[in-house]
Amino acid sequence: NMDDLNHMYSWLLDRDISNWHPADSRPKTKAYRIAISNAIPNHIKWLKTLFVDNVDLSIVFKNRKGYYYTSAKTLYSCFNNWMITNHLMNEGQFKSQSFKKVLQDIKGITFDKNIKIDGKALRMVVFKKVDIIDELSKYEFNVDADDDDIMDFDTMSDDE
């Protein structure tokens, strides 16, 4: 009925939505958190695996005074293997230049850094763990938190 439709349309137009922020008021369900987690770039997930999940970093890096370093070749190989193992990429799909570009945008990662080890100058990729963990804190990895998708009608007014 057109009258009902017009009544609903008028009701919607009369609502004050100036203080409504849909991103803030949406339910943070497990499905929502999984979707957000799945949108995290693979290189960020890989860095989390290395620097947060307590894996043995000596597999990839050498460590001196809070700085981790490795050759670009070892770094690329490690990431490539991780991607294939986690079924995120097929053999032969890895592109080192695009990987290098995304890592260069992360605070705490420096490519082609000249470092001196045992009297020899070497070009390495250097990671500062503190800065990388700070960068990773920008992402939401926890998908197992309790759902807050229960609509509590007791706390809602009739206007909501």
Side-chain angles (χ1 to χ4, degrees):
N1 174 333
M2 249 349 222
D3 287 338
D4 291 338
L5 193 57
N6 285 333
H7 183 277
M8 184 179 85
Y9 181 70
S10 295
W11 177 79
L12 287 171
L13 286 176
D14 290 341
R15 290 190 55 141
D16 177 17
I17 60 170
S18 60
N19 291 323
W20 181 56
H21 304 286
D24 296 338
S25 63
R26 91 174 106 216
K28 304 296 193 282
T29 64
K30 186 172 184 176
Y32 171 81
R33 288 188 302 277
I34 288 170
I36 294 300
S37 179
N38 285 340
I40 295 172
N42 291 327
H43 66 282
I44 298 296
K45 292 176 185 177
W46 176 71
L47 288 170
K48 177 193 174 281
T49 300
L50 291 176
F51 290 100
V52 177
D53 294 344
N54 297 317
V55 298
D56 181 7
L57 292 174
S58 67
I59 296 169
V60 182
F61 302 105
K62 293 184 171 113
N63 178 14
R64 292 239 174 119
K65 299 180 181 175
Y67 289 88
Y68 292 82
Y69 61 94
T70 190
S71 69
K73 182 178 179 178
T74 300
L75 181 70
Y76 298 153
S77 176
C78 178
F79 180 73
N80 184 45
N81 290 337
W82 181 84
M83 290 284 286
I84 292 168
T85 300
N86 287 285
H87 308 287
L88 300 169
M89 178 175 68
N90 292 324
E91 190 77 42
Q93 289 183 315
F94 177 70
K95 304 287 184 239
S96 62
Q97 287 302 316
S98 58
F99 178 62
K100 179 179 180 180
K101 184 173 178 6
V102 295
L103 286 187
Q104 285 176 318
D105 293 337
I106 298 173
K107 180 180 156 199
I109 301 176
T110 307
F111 275 79
D112 302 321
K113 179 76 173 169
N114 286 318
I115 62 174
K116 189 175 182 181
I117 303 171
D118 300 325
K120 293 167 75 176
L122 303 168
R123 287 170 52 126
M124 295 284 182
V125 184
V126 177
F127 293 75
K128 187 174 181 185
K129 185 176 181 177
V130 170
D131 288 344
I132 293 169
I133 289 175
D134 184 53
E135 286 286 314
L136 294 175
S137 69
K138 298 174 184 175
Y139 296 90
E140 176 62 49
F141 295 99
N142 183 10
V143 296
D144 294 323
D146 292 334
D147 280 349
D148 68 351
D149 63 345
I150 297 171
M151 294 182 79
D152 186 355
F153 286 126
D154 294 333
T155 62
M156 295 172 100
S157 70
D158 289 336
D159 294 331
E160 290 186 86

